[in-house]
Amino acid sequence: MTEETRKSSYPLASRAEDGHNTEIKVGNTLIGSSTFTVMAGPCAVESKDQLKSIAERVHESGVNILRGGAYKPRTSPYSFQGLEEEGLGYLGEIARPLGMGVITEIMDARDIPKFVDHVDILQVGARNMQNFTLLKELGKIRKPILLKRGMGSTLEELLGAAEYILKGGNKEVILCERGIRTFETATRATLDLSAVPVLKKMTHLPVIVDPSHAAGRSDIVPALALAACAVGADGIIVEVHDNPSKALCDGSQALSPEVFKTLVSKLKEMSPLVSKQFN
Amino acid sequence: MTEETRKSSYPLASRAEDGHNTEIKVGNTLIGSSTFTVMAGPCAVESKDQLKSIAERVHESGVNILRGGAYKPRTSPYSFQGLEEEGLGYLGEIARPLGMGVITEIMDARDIPKFVDHVDILQVGARNMQNFTLLKELGKIRKPILLKRGMGSTLEELLGAAEYILKGGNKEVILCERGIRTFETATRATLDLSAVPVLKKMTHLPVIVDPSHAAGRSDIVPALALAACAVGADGIIVEVHDNPSKALCDGSQALSPEVFKTLVSKLKEMSPLVSKQFN
Amino acid sequence: MTEETRKSSYPLASRAEDGHNTEIKVGNTLIGSSTFTVMAGPCAVESKDQLKSIAERVHESGVNILRGGAYKPRTSPYSFQGLEEEGLGYLGEIARPLGMGVITEIMDARDIPKFVDHVDILQVGARNMQNFTLLKELGKIRKPILLKRGMGSTLEELLGAAEYILKGGNKEVILCERGIRTFETATRATLDLSAVPVLKKMTHLPVIVDPSHAAGRSDIVPALALAACAVGADGIIVEVHDNPSKALCDGSQALSPEVFKTLVSKLKEMSPLVSKQFN
Amino acid sequence: MTEETRKSSYPLASRAEDGHNTEIKVGNTLIGSSTFTVMAGPCAVESKDQLKSIAERVHESGVNILRGGAYKPRTSPYSFQGLEEEGLGYLGEIARPLGMGVITEIMDARDIPKFVDHVDILQVGARNMQNFTLLKELGKIRKPILLKRGMGSTLEELLGAAEYILKGGNKEVILCERGIRTFETATRATLDLSAVPVLKKMTHLPVIVDPSHAAGRSDIVPALALAACAVGADGIIVEVHDNPSKALCDGSQALSPEVFKTLVSKLKEMSPLVSKQFN
């Protein structure tokens, strides 16, 4: 694709000549080129107690954005599908008093009104990256959207998907690299960290990394999180669980609160080396 | 994944011990293990005249199911998005008098009522294979669904997606291999013909092949269509255009009506070799 | 890559404007565009008795080229490495009285003299596709070379590798598609059957298919072999073992002599449909 | 593959329970878990002057190991194949007075004697990762070997290949991640940085990263080099050219000496954050 074709495919997402970067404000947290933002929490909201306990631990480590799935996209319809609306409620209820923002995944455009009440960032999962119906509806609201790259999607396609949201008038889109499908089976997906500097050339939108889903195994998540910071990402979204072996979803990739705390302290040291402020 | 886990992930899609195969009736056409079915037509419905002309040509060749996109999922929001409801109308209007069935892609669950009126098979595209919201709604209707494999999706995931529809009570699901993402760039995707016999071991559902989207180039489509028949597919869905160079969508992969006619006559010869009746 | 660059990268391998196809004679067997050739035998030569027994069975089915590994490239140095020179001897000793040609893999250029004595076609395995040292030496001899596509190699690279042999003056190169590495784990590799018609556009060299190594499971090998014929391949190379569960190498992908015989009779029926003579 | 099978496939390469790490001494440079080592120089040795000029620049930046290809594996036999023996001579001649070690690629086992005279680390390229003939010969010498991961090779296969060298008695093997083949075309290969911490769990051997060949474009090489350090690699090997646009090989991925100098100063700052000493 030539430079010209590109810009006509996603003019709003394309980096302009003036080099401007979009920064997105969530509570007191600024997400974008000058900062390194950590979003953390459990894969799924399992109960109010579980969420509260984990939220407090990640908040103590210095994190201001709480993640947690209320609606879970699962390969099989018989796997745990999330607490749904109840889970949404817990997220808001627990994050607010701690002064934390909330990010969680939306799968159905009909749920937008519920999400707008409880959530600060709406996440579109990898499986829905090209669910254009959903993207168009998210273009109509005025809340930040975290758009995850599909596991079989190119960066061109990721930007095309972002354009569907931007075209609707919603200018707050955050891109997220979360691993692509390759032949290597040592990790669940292959985290494509090159995508970060490449996207930074192509677009003004913030780019973050999800090392947990890419790895599918917690032992290498801290190393990947540091690499994400070093490669120039604007943040990470990472799974933390206080009892990984009992997690209802993806326990094998969740960090314990202790390991997470150590990771955060290293990220605080590393951020200034890449000219970013930790937040 | 063990055999046991598999069957608990998609019990309704799994092949049972009795070896039963699902066959789906569309008009006078039976889709499933005893037949080889060809579905053909333009990538997109562009106008009533275009559709009529192509429909007549493919019908003459012996095809009873007309394909044509009314709602088009496009990487960029600025590409031609289809004639939408107008296109749906044309499909029914033109296919009926010819005695043909209609297959077309649905992207938005809210459009289901309109589709039910005009369409015989609702297609879920590769990008929406794991749009579980859409799949659940399609489980509630009683029309055949053609479910395309996502470009980065495994066969396990394809069957998990089919299960979402079957679980809703809609038992008529047709699976479609249409190429997966690999490093090879000589074709747009890599058609995974091994998927056909593998799926036949795993499931009782019909399996068809889309050589047009996999190839992205018309010159090899006839060879791939014959291979699909030889490998045991229950049919193909193929793009035909009477003026490929002027097509509004994917012209480079469309067969001319003449080349298509020759292909169909070869498929008629080949079907009996794999114990199938052409229809 | 433009057409022009291509032709300058592999001028000798490129299809010329006159449409000429290279055909290669091995004993009474002609390999190339007018014929469909089956090469069959065990993965590895395990003993004289084993090879004799299998050779006789495949010969009875109508096959004139015997395959069998004497030198085996194995991922681990502790796996069975083949009978080496002893195995080479058995191949010649057993094939000759049956009037069969022999194909076997060469890994070390220093073994060329031994191969030239016993072998009719020298095979370069997928792992050595870009072992340019070996390719250059094989360019100096006057025996047919079967060049397998690397599991992570493009078709452009396959033709570049063939060019190394052709440039040395050895004009008898047969290309072989044997599956590429992808994310799908239902098969060991993903057989890229599109490669066959694409290569036929690019080059005048014969193109065959190895369904056994691609599949890694015998149950789908017959279907893939038929598909290879339908897609326009000039032949297949397939593994047959009279006791698959006791094979020292890759038993799970070997056909029994009975299944193989049935396959061959279907290939004899299918060849004329694609304008080829079975041999 | 179970832990047990693994250890029997590559017992010498496997990490032992005592957690011992292999460190390899090249001149005054120690390569392994306690250090971060930079190897740099041109893709190909083009002339004595070119090599001298670049060697001096990278040495000034604090680098002690000079890379440069004398024998070049090229997709087409008509591309520049390197200065061969002449290039080998220049490498030794120029590196020695600067006190630098030399690393360069070997393709043909028959060249080993020449390499042993001029070279400190012999590199096996990605295309030859499973050239077992070459690996076995390299197992017989007593010089460090840098073994690059094949573009379509798993980590299991990389360790199996290393085992061929170790089994011969040569204990000094350095592994190198250099990108794998995926569908993404924004970079030449997809750098699999997860491979670094995964390999560190599996083996005691040093692991370095080649960001230049993975990226195929110089603009993202510094970001990837920093990420390699952050993820725990024991070093990088990077291409530097004083006139990238005139390079005879891969100019588009070479860093200018100025950009390289800035990168090295950042790597010096980052190394201590991951408990490594820069050297």
Side-chain angles (χ1 to χ4, degrees):
Chain A
M1 208 181 257
T2 63
E3 194 57 25
E4 208 175 310
T5 326
R6 263 180 209 168
K7 298 224 162 151
S8 67
S9 294
Y10 39 85
L12 301 172
S14 282
R15 177 170 286 293
E17 313 229 329
D18 65 5
H20 155 81
N21 285 302
T22 289
E23 296 200 294
I24 293 169
K25 210 164 174 352
V26 175
N28 295 318
T29 303
L30 200 63
I31 302 169
S33 65
S34 62
T35 57
F36 189 80
T37 306
V38 177
M39 312 177 184
C43 179
V45 179
E46 297 170 21
S47 72
K48 196 170 163 178
D49 284 355
Q50 171 247 22
L51 184 65
K52 187 160 187 286
S53 158
I54 298 172
E56 288 170 354
R57 299 297 294 276
V58 303
H59 187 248
E60 272 167 35
S61 297
V63 164
N64 295 312
I65 298 180
L66 178 65
R67 65 146 288 151
Y71 296 82
K72 300 295 304 172
R74 303 301 296 270
T75 300
S76 165
Y78 308 106
S79 300
F80 175 58
Q81 307 273 315
L83 295 185
E84 306 192 341
E85 196 164 354
E86 185 187 344
L88 271 192
Y90 294 159
L91 281 164
E93 211 176 310
I94 286 163
R96 295 280 143 75
L98 294 167
M100 297 179 84
V102 165
I103 176 168
T104 194
E105 178 167 353
I106 185 159
M107 295 165 63
D108 188 337
R110 294 170 297 194
D111 294 328
I112 289 178
K114 285 181 264 179
F115 273 67
V116 166
D117 287 347
H118 296 288
V119 170
D120 300 286
I121 308 175
L122 285 76
Q123 177 182 315
V124 177
R127 293 170 179 87
N128 279 316
M129 189 197 91
Q130 291 190 317
N131 177 343
F132 299 127
T133 302
L134 179 60
L135 300 180
K136 284 176 185 169
E137 294 298 326
L138 293 173
K140 296 178 187 165
I141 63 171
R142 294 297 173 267
K143 284 260 182 181
I145 309 299
L146 181 85
L147 179 64
K148 287 197 165 185
R149 181 185 186 183
M151 281 188 283
S153 299
T154 63
L155 299 180
E156 296 282 349
E157 290 167 341
L158 175 58
L159 291 174
E163 190 80 12
Y164 274 89
I165 302 170
L166 297 167
K167 187 165 175 273
N170 185 348
K171 296 184 179 172
E172 300 193 312
V173 178
I174 303 163
L175 306 174
C176 180
E177 161 61 30
R178 50 79 72 224
I180 57 175
R181 281 268 160 90
T182 74
F183 63 84
E184 178 57 63
T185 57
T187 44
R188 193 159 56 181
T190 297
L191 189 64
D192 178 12
L193 284 173
S194 310
V196 177
V198 170
L199 284 171
K200 287 287 182 183
K201 304 275 169 187
M202 296 165 88
T203 182
H204 54 86
L205 298 170
V207 180
I208 74 162
V209 168
D210 174 350
S212 305
H213 283 87
R217 48 187 279 184
S218 59
D219 60 346
I220 64 167
V221 167
L224 293 178
L226 291 171
C229 181
V231 90
D234 299 319
I236 54 169
I237 180 163
V238 68
E239 295 194 356
V240 177
H241 201 285
D242 52 1
N243 194 348
S245 66
K246 297 230 170 135
L248 291 181
C249 168
D250 286 343
S252 61
Q253 75 201 28
L255 297 182
S256 70
E258 295 72 29
V259 170
F260 177 69
K261 191 177 181 182
T262 307
L263 169 61
V264 168
S265 71
K266 285 190 194 168
L267 289 167
K268 285 176 181 169
E269 285 186 89
M270 191 171 283
S271 299
L273 293 195
V274 286
S275 310
K276 282 178 173 288
Q277 192 176 335
F278 182 89
N279 73 16
Chain B
M1 209 180 255
T2 64
E3 195 57 25
E4 207 176 312
T5 326
R6 261 179 211 169
K7 298 227 162 148
S8 68
S9 294
Y10 40 84
L12 301 172
S14 282
R15 177 171 286 293
E17 312 228 330
D18 65 5
H20 155 82
N21 285 302
T22 289
E23 296 200 294
I24 293 169
K25 210 165 172 353
V26 175
N28 295 318
T29 303
L30 200 64
I31 302 169
S33 64
S34 62
T35 56
F36 188 80
T37 306
V38 177
M39 310 177 185
C43 179
V45 179
E46 297 171 21
S47 72
K48 195 170 165 180
D49 284 353
Q50 172 247 20
L51 184 66
K52 186 159 187 286
S53 159
I54 298 173
E56 288 170 354
R57 299 296 295 273
V58 302
H59 186 248
E60 273 166 33
S61 296
V63 163
N64 295 313
I65 299 181
L66 178 64
R67 65 145 288 151
Y71 296 82
K72 301 296 305 171
R74 302 302 295 271
T75 301
S76 164
Y78 308 106
S79 300
F80 174 58
Q81 307 274 314
L83 295 185
E84 307 192 342
E85 196 163 355
E86 185 188 345
L88 272 191
Y90 294 157
L91 281 163
E93 209 175 311
I94 286 164
R96 295 281 142 76
L98 295 167
M100 297 180 82
V102 165
I103 176 169
T104 195
E105 178 167 353
I106 185 159
M107 296 165 63
D108 188 337
R110 294 170 297 192
D111 294 328
I112 289 178
K114 282 181 266 178
F115 273 68
V116 167
D117 287 347
H118 297 289
V119 170
D120 300 287
I121 307 175
L122 285 76
Q123 175 182 315
V124 177
R127 294 170 178 87
N128 278 318
M129 190 198 90
Q130 291 190 317
N131 177 343
F132 298 127
T133 302
L134 179 60
L135 299 180
K136 283 176 185 168
E137 294 298 324
L138 293 173
K140 296 178 187 163
I141 63 171
R142 294 298 172 267
K143 284 261 182 180
I145 309 298
L146 180 86
L147 179 63
K148 287 197 164 183
R149 179 185 188 184
M151 281 187 283
S153 299
T154 64
L155 299 180
E156 296 281 350
E157 290 166 342
L158 175 59
L159 291 174
E163 191 79 12
Y164 273 89
I165 302 169
L166 297 167
K167 187 167 177 270
N170 185 348
K171 296 184 177 172
E172 300 193 311
V173 178
I174 303 163
L175 305 174
C176 180
E177 160 62 29
R178 47 81 70 224
I180 57 175
R181 282 270 160 89
T182 74
F183 62 83
E184 178 56 63
T185 56
T187 44
R188 192 160 57 180
T190 297
L191 188 64
D192 178 12
L193 284 173
S194 310
V196 176
V198 170
L199 284 170
K200 286 287 179 182
K201 304 275 168 188
M202 297 166 87
T203 182
H204 53 85
L205 298 170
V207 181
I208 73 162
V209 168
D210 174 351
S212 305
H213 283 88
R217 48 188 278 185
S218 59
D219 60 347
I220 64 166
V221 167
L224 294 177
L226 292 171
C229 181
V231 91
D234 300 318
I236 53 169
I237 181 164
V238 68
E239 296 194 355
V240 177
H241 201 285
D242 53 359
N243 195 347
S245 67
K246 297 231 168 132
L248 291 180
C249 168
D250 286 343
S252 62
Q253 75 200 28
L255 298 182
S256 70
E258 294 72 29
V259 170
F260 177 69
K261 192 177 179 182
T262 306
L263 169 61
V264 168
S265 70
K266 286 191 192 166
L267 289 167
K268 286 176 182 170
E269 285 186 87
M270 192 171 280
S271 299
L273 292 194
V274 288
S275 311
K276 281 179 174 282
Q277 193 177 334
F278 182 89
N279 73 18
Chain C
M1 207 181 256
T2 63
E3 195 58 22
E4 207 176 312
T5 326
R6 262 179 209 170
K7 298 226 162 147
S8 68
S9 295
Y10 39 84
L12 302 173
S14 282
R15 177 172 286 294
E17 312 228 330
D18 64 5
H20 155 82
N21 286 300
T22 288
E23 296 200 294
I24 293 170
K25 209 163 171 358
V26 175
N28 295 318
T29 303
L30 201 63
I31 302 169
S33 65
S34 62
T35 58
F36 188 80
T37 306
V38 177
M39 311 178 185
C43 180
V45 178
E46 296 171 21
S47 71
K48 196 169 163 181
D49 284 353
Q50 171 247 21
L51 184 65
K52 187 158 186 288
S53 159
I54 298 173
E56 287 170 355
R57 300 295 297 272
V58 303
H59 187 248
E60 273 166 35
S61 296
V63 164
N64 295 311
I65 298 179
L66 178 65
R67 65 145 290 151
Y71 296 82
K72 301 295 306 171
R74 302 301 297 272
T75 301
S76 164
Y78 308 106
S79 301
F80 175 58
Q81 308 273 314
L83 295 184
E84 307 193 341
E85 196 163 354
E86 185 188 345
L88 272 192
Y90 294 159
L91 282 163
E93 210 175 311
I94 286 163
R96 295 279 144 77
L98 294 167
M100 297 179 83
V102 166
I103 176 169
T104 195
E105 178 167 353
I106 185 158
M107 295 164 65
D108 187 336
R110 294 170 298 193
D111 294 329
I112 290 178
K114 283 181 264 178
F115 274 66
V116 166
D117 287 347
H118 297 288
V119 170
D120 300 289
I121 307 175
L122 285 77
Q123 176 182 314
V124 177
R127 293 171 177 87
N128 278 317
M129 189 196 90
Q130 292 190 318
N131 177 344
F132 298 127
T133 302
L134 179 60
L135 299 180
K136 283 176 185 169
E137 294 297 326
L138 293 172
K140 296 177 186 163
I141 63 172
R142 293 298 172 269
K143 285 260 183 181
I145 309 299
L146 181 86
L147 179 64
K148 287 196 164 183
R149 180 185 187 182
M151 282 186 283
S153 299
T154 63
L155 300 180
E156 296 281 348
E157 289 166 342
L158 175 58
L159 291 174
E163 190 79 12
Y164 274 88
I165 302 170
L166 297 168
K167 186 165 176 273
N170 186 348
K171 294 183 178 172
E172 301 193 312
V173 178
I174 303 162
L175 305 174
C176 181
E177 161 60 30
R178 48 80 71 225
I180 56 174
R181 282 270 159 88
T182 74
F183 62 83
E184 179 55 64
T185 57
T187 44
R188 193 161 56 181
T190 297
L191 189 64
D192 178 13
L193 284 172
S194 310
V196 177
V198 170
L199 284 170
K200 286 287 180 183
K201 303 275 169 189
M202 297 165 87
T203 181
H204 54 85
L205 298 170
V207 181
I208 73 162
V209 168
D210 175 351
S212 305
H213 283 88
R217 48 187 278 185
S218 58
D219 61 346
I220 64 167
V221 167
L224 294 177
L226 291 171
C229 181
V231 91
D234 300 318
I236 53 169
I237 181 163
V238 68
E239 296 194 354
V240 176
H241 201 285
D242 52 1
N243 195 346
S245 66
K246 296 232 168 130
L248 292 179
C249 167
D250 285 344
S252 61
Q253 75 201 27
L255 298 183
S256 70
E258 294 73 29
V259 171
F260 177 68
K261 192 177 178 180
T262 307
L263 169 60
V264 168
S265 70
K266 286 191 193 166
L267 289 167
K268 286 176 182 170
E269 286 187 85
M270 192 172 280
S271 299
L273 293 195
V274 287
S275 310
K276 281 178 174 284
Q277 193 178 334
F278 182 89
N279 72 21
Chain D
M1 208 181 257
T2 64
E3 193 59 21
E4 207 176 312
T5 326
R6 261 179 210 171
K7 297 223 163 152
S8 68
S9 295
Y10 39 85
L12 302 173
S14 282
R15 175 170 288 293
E17 313 229 328
D18 65 5
H20 155 82
N21 285 302
T22 289
E23 296 200 295
I24 293 169
K25 209 164 174 352
V26 175
N28 295 319
T29 302
L30 200 64
I31 302 169
S33 65
S34 63
T35 56
F36 188 81
T37 307
V38 177
M39 310 177 186
C43 179
V45 178
E46 296 170 21
S47 71
K48 195 168 163 182
D49 283 356
Q50 170 248 21
L51 184 65
K52 187 160 187 285
S53 158
I54 298 173
E56 288 170 353
R57 300 296 295 273
V58 302
H59 186 248
E60 273 168 33
S61 296
V63 164
N64 294 312
I65 298 181
L66 178 65
R67 66 145 289 152
Y71 296 82
K72 300 296 304 172
R74 303 301 295 271
T75 300
S76 164
Y78 309 106
S79 299
F80 175 58
Q81 307 274 315
L83 295 185
E84 307 193 342
E85 196 164 352
E86 186 188 344
L88 272 191
Y90 294 159
L91 281 163
E93 210 176 311
I94 286 164
R96 294 280 143 76
L98 294 166
M100 296 179 85
V102 165
I103 177 169
T104 195
E105 179 167 353
I106 185 158
M107 294 165 64
D108 188 338
R110 293 171 298 193
D111 293 329
I112 290 178
K114 283 180 264 178
F115 273 67
V116 167
D117 287 348
H118 296 290
V119 170
D120 300 287
I121 308 175
L122 284 76
Q123 176 182 315
V124 176
R127 293 171 179 87
N128 279 317
M129 189 197 91
Q130 291 190 317
N131 177 344
F132 299 128
T133 302
L134 179 59
L135 300 179
K136 283 175 184 169
E137 295 297 324
L138 293 173
K140 296 177 186 165
I141 62 171
R142 294 297 173 269
K143 285 260 182 179
I145 308 299
L146 180 86
L147 179 63
K148 287 196 165 182
R149 179 184 188 184
M151 282 186 282
S153 300
T154 63
L155 299 181
E156 295 282 349
E157 290 167 341
L158 175 58
L159 291 174
E163 191 78 12
Y164 274 88
I165 302 170
L166 297 167
K167 186 165 175 272
N170 186 348
K171 296 184 177 170
E172 301 193 313
V173 178
I174 304 163
L175 305 174
C176 180
E177 161 62 29
R178 49 79 72 224
I180 57 175
R181 281 270 160 89
T182 74
F183 63 84
E184 179 56 64
T185 56
T187 44
R188 194 161 56 182
T190 297
L191 189 64
D192 178 12
L193 284 172
S194 310
V196 176
V198 170
L199 284 171
K200 287 286 180 184
K201 304 275 168 187
M202 298 166 87
T203 182
H204 54 85
L205 297 171
V207 181
I208 74 162
V209 168
D210 174 351
S212 304
H213 283 88
R217 49 188 277 187
S218 59
D219 60 347
I220 64 167
V221 167
L224 294 178
L226 291 171
C229 182
V231 91
D234 300 318
I236 53 169
I237 180 163
V238 69
E239 295 194 356
V240 176
H241 201 286
D242 52 0
N243 194 347
S245 66
K246 296 230 169 134
L248 291 181
C249 167
D250 286 343
S252 62
Q253 74 202 29
L255 298 182
S256 69
E258 295 71 31
V259 170
F260 177 68
K261 193 177 179 180
T262 307
L263 169 60
V264 169
S265 70
K266 284 191 193 167
L267 289 167
K268 286 176 181 169
E269 285 186 87
M270 191 172 282
S271 299
L273 293 195
V274 286
S275 310
K276 281 177 174 287
Q277 193 178 334
F278 182 90
N279 72 19

